[in-house]
């Protein structure tokens, strides 16, 4: 369903269909330069080496509520901030100085969120934005939580951690209701029906698809992510490091976000590698002037790539601060064909490159209901399509009418 727009009088108008022309006309309508507190300079003699290495603080996670009315940001200054998408204004700032905050996720109520901790322990916290109180703690992980997803249909949610486990939870109970032990740190995603979930296992380049009702059984599909084109760049080819997974709204495709210089689109039914999205610079590093490690790593990747709500386009951030848009409407059909890991994928260049942020654009998400995109890094930006029209096109239209 294409996201509807609203007129100034708040009466629903004709739905706005996302098209390549419209996506290339997205412009920042509101920029919040102070969306992250700058670090206070250390007093002489007590310099914190970690803070000086990090440099500028970034927003590390963003999330829209189900209705697309509000967005929450989590930042490295240990704050989460709530914004109203319709007015384009900041609603409130809340602090989590004791535990830190990462991976903010709205529950199905727009007054409560889940978030991961960055210090003290690795507990997931259920927090009421309305009265700034914790409603529940979900304890169990023994390593930092790097993937957190809310079920699209009920109060279930799922977390993946550096302790190499996936835990399944319910908001109504503090104890986990399911545990998967894996050979490497996982990333997780639900499909739109909430009946299937995917677990990406790094180092093994495998994506496991489970039936939500029978997660204690073996996965019903194991997808191997291998990109034969990587061996053209270096041999042996550099390993792919998955940092996010996301199903398309129709459930047919699986978007694999990676920290390297490419993202991938897989067939979610049979496991074919359909497309390689390239052109951007991966977020394996925090800055362009830092050299790459030999071993691929997560870096600050994880929230930078997502589908539009109609699953026709993919938007992604980049280390150079730009926003890249790919058109995924004409992916190859490989139904009922045998899987060939040596067959090179369709390499898709971006259809639009939008001037973005100073520093990396770490978080990019499209509003689930409105023609609005949000991007974040050292600052926060709300993007709207510029419908004023290209002067040349307007002139052509006028000439036609004459």
């Amino acid at each position: 369903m294409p996201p509807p727009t609203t007129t100034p009088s708040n009466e629903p108008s004709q739905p706005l269909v996302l098209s390549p022309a419209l996506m290339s006309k997205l412009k920042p309508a509101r920029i919040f330069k102070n969306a992250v507190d700058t670090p206070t300079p250390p007093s002489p003699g007590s310099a914190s080496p970690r803070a000086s290495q990090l440099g500028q603080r970034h927003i590390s996670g963003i999330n829209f509520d189900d209705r697309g009315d509000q967005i929450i940001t989590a930042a490295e200054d240990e704050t989460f901030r709530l914004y109203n998408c319709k007015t384009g204004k900041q609603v409130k700032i809340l602090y989590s100085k004791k535990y830190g905050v990462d991976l903010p996720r709205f529950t199905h109520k727009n007054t409560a969120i889940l978030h991961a901790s960055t210090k003290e322990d690795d507990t997931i916290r259920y927090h009421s934005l309305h009265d700034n109180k914790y409603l529940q703690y979900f304890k169990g992980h023994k390593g930092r939580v790097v993937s957190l997803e809310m079920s699209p249909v009920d109060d279930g949610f799922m977390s993946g951690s550096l302790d190499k486990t996936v835990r399944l939870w319910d908001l109504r109970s503090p104890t986990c209701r399911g545990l998967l032990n894996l050979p490497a740190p996982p990333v997780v995603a639900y499909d739109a029906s909430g009946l299937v979930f995917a677990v990406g296992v790094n180092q093994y380049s495998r994506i496991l698809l489970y039936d939500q009702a029978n997660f204690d059984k073996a996965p019903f599909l194991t997808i191997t992510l291998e990109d034969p084109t990587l061996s053209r760049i270096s041999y042996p080819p550099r390993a792919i490091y998955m940092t996010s997974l996301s199903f398309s709204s129709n459930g047919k495709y699986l978007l694999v976000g990676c920290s390297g210089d490419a993202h991938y689109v897989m067939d979610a039914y049979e496991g074919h590698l359909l497309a390689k999205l390239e052109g951007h610079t991966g977020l394996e590093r925090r800055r362009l002037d830092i050299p790459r490690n030999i071993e691929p790593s997560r870096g600050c990747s994880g929230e930078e790539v997502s589908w539009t709500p109609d699953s026709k386009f993919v938007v992604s951030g980049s280390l150079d601060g730009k926003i890249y848009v790919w058109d995924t409407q004409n992916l190859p059909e490989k139904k009922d064909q045998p899987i060939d890991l040596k067959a090179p994928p369709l390499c898709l260049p971006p259809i639009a490159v939008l001037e973005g942020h100073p520093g990396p654009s770490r978080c990019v998400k499209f509003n689930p209901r409105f023609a609005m995109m949000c991007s974040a890094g050292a600052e926060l930006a709300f993007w709207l399509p510029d419908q004023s029209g290209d002067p040349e096109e307007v002139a052509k239209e006028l000439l036609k009418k004459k």
Side-chain angles (χ1 to χ4, degrees):
M1 186 182 101
T5 57
T6 52
T7 53
S9 60
N10 277 339
E11 292 173 9
S13 64
Q14 281 298 99
L16 194 63
V17 178
L18 298 181
S19 65
L22 189 102
M23 294 299 289
S24 61
K25 284 183 182 168
L26 286 166
K27 298 271 185 333
R30 182 66 57 91
I31 297 172
F32 300 89
K33 299 247 181 223
N34 302 320
V36 188
D37 292 339
T38 50
T40 50
S43 56
S46 65
S48 156
R50 186 149 179 243
S52 60
Q53 284 165 10
L54 286 177
Q56 195 166 23
R57 287 167 168 173
H58 297 152
I59 291 169
S60 58
I62 60 176
N63 193 239
F64 285 99
D65 69 2
D66 286 354
R67 292 190 307 212
D69 293 340
Q70 298 183 120
I71 187 165
I72 189 97
T73 69
E76 291 168 347
D77 61 359
E78 293 158 357
T79 66
F80 35 105
R81 298 170 194 238
L82 186 67
Y83 297 84
N84 185 313
C85 297
K86 289 183 174 174
T87 62
K89 288 183 178 160
Q90 184 173 290
V91 180
K92 60 172 73 170
I93 305 178
L94 301 168
Y95 297 89
S96 180
K97 296 288 183 189
K98 186 175 180 185
Y99 305 112
V101 58
D102 195 16
L103 305 173
R105 301 287 181 259
F106 273 105
T107 63
H108 297 299
K109 289 191 179 122
N110 64 2
T111 55
I113 62 163
L114 286 167
H115 72 82
S117 312
T118 59
K119 55 187 190 178
E120 201 77 19
D121 58 20
D122 303 296
T123 301
I124 299 162
R125 297 171 203 282
Y126 180 22
H127 185 271
S128 166
L129 299 172
H130 172 63
D131 45 12
N132 196 19
K133 283 187 182 145
Y134 286 115
L135 303 173
Q136 190 68 272
Y137 297 117
F138 300 97
K139 297 181 176 178
H141 282 300
K142 302 283 186 290
R144 180 162 173 176
V145 174
V146 291
S147 191
L148 182 62
E149 292 301 326
M150 191 76 206
S151 164
V153 292
D154 59 23
D155 283 339
F157 66 97
M158 182 168 51
S159 57
S161 162
L162 294 179
D163 64 9
K164 303 181 186 174
T165 65
V166 168
R167 288 177 181 263
L168 288 87
W169 312 81
D170 192 291
L171 287 175
R172 294 161 292 193
S173 167
T175 51
C176 90
R177 59 191 177 98
L179 173 68
L180 298 173
N181 286 295
L182 297 154
V187 287
V188 296
Y190 284 100
D191 81 331
S193 69
L195 300 174
V196 170
F197 66 87
V199 178
V201 186
N202 278 307
Q203 297 165 21
Y204 295 81
S205 296
R206 297 289 189 278
I207 300 167
L208 315 173
L209 265 60
Y210 288 89
D211 173 1
Q212 167 75 16
N214 299 301
F215 61 83
D216 51 340
K217 310 253 186 327
F220 65 83
L221 179 64
T222 300
I223 299 172
T224 302
L225 174 57
E226 262 186 43
D227 177 5
T229 62
L230 290 175
S231 57
R232 297 176 197 163
I233 302 162
S234 66
Y235 199 85
R238 204 155 188 271
I240 297 168
Y241 200 100
M242 296 179 275
T243 57
S244 66
L245 295 175
S246 175
F247 282 91
S248 60
S249 52
N250 59 9
K252 277 174 70 174
Y253 305 117
L254 184 61
L255 172 63
V256 185
C258 305
S259 63
D261 294 345
H263 304 303
Y264 298 92
V265 179
M266 316 284 298
D267 176 309
Y269 295 155
E270 296 182 8
H272 299 282
L273 173 56
L274 300 178
K276 176 182 184 179
L277 312 179
E278 53 187 15
H280 67 293
T281 308
L283 293 177
E284 209 173 335
R285 304 163 285 165
R286 279 183 76 95
R287 298 196 309 270
L288 281 164
D289 58 352
I290 297 175
R292 275 202 177 107
N293 292 329
I294 294 171
E295 279 291 311
S297 64
R298 181 182 182 81
C300 58
S301 173
E303 295 266 292
E304 80 276 21
V305 62
S306 60
W307 296 100
T308 53
D310 54 9
S311 298
K312 290 180 180 174
F313 302 92
V314 170
V315 289
S316 171
S318 172
L319 193 60
D320 57 14
K322 294 185 172 76
I323 311 290
Y324 290 74
V325 182
W326 293 274
D327 186 342
T328 54
Q329 294 178 78
N330 300 308
L331 293 173
E333 284 286 335
K334 291 193 178 179
K335 200 175 175 204
D336 300 328
Q337 293 179 24
I339 290 185
D340 181 3
L341 297 176
K342 299 279 182 286
L346 172 70
C347 293
L348 286 180
I351 56 157
V353 181
L354 311 170
E355 288 300 324
H357 294 273
S361 38
R362 279 185 60 169
C363 311
V364 181
K365 288 224 167 33
F366 216 90
N367 190 305
R369 293 277 304 280
F370 303 109
M372 168 207 173
M373 183 174 77
C374 179
S375 66
E379 55 192 31
L380 178 72
F382 290 173
W383 301 69
L384 295 173
D386 180 6
Q387 292 182 284
S388 58
D390 188 36
E392 286 182 20
E393 286 177 22
V394 173
K396 280 179 192 169
E397 287 295 320
L398 288 169
L399 287 168
K400 274 184 196 170
K401 283 176 186 172
K402 286 180 181 178

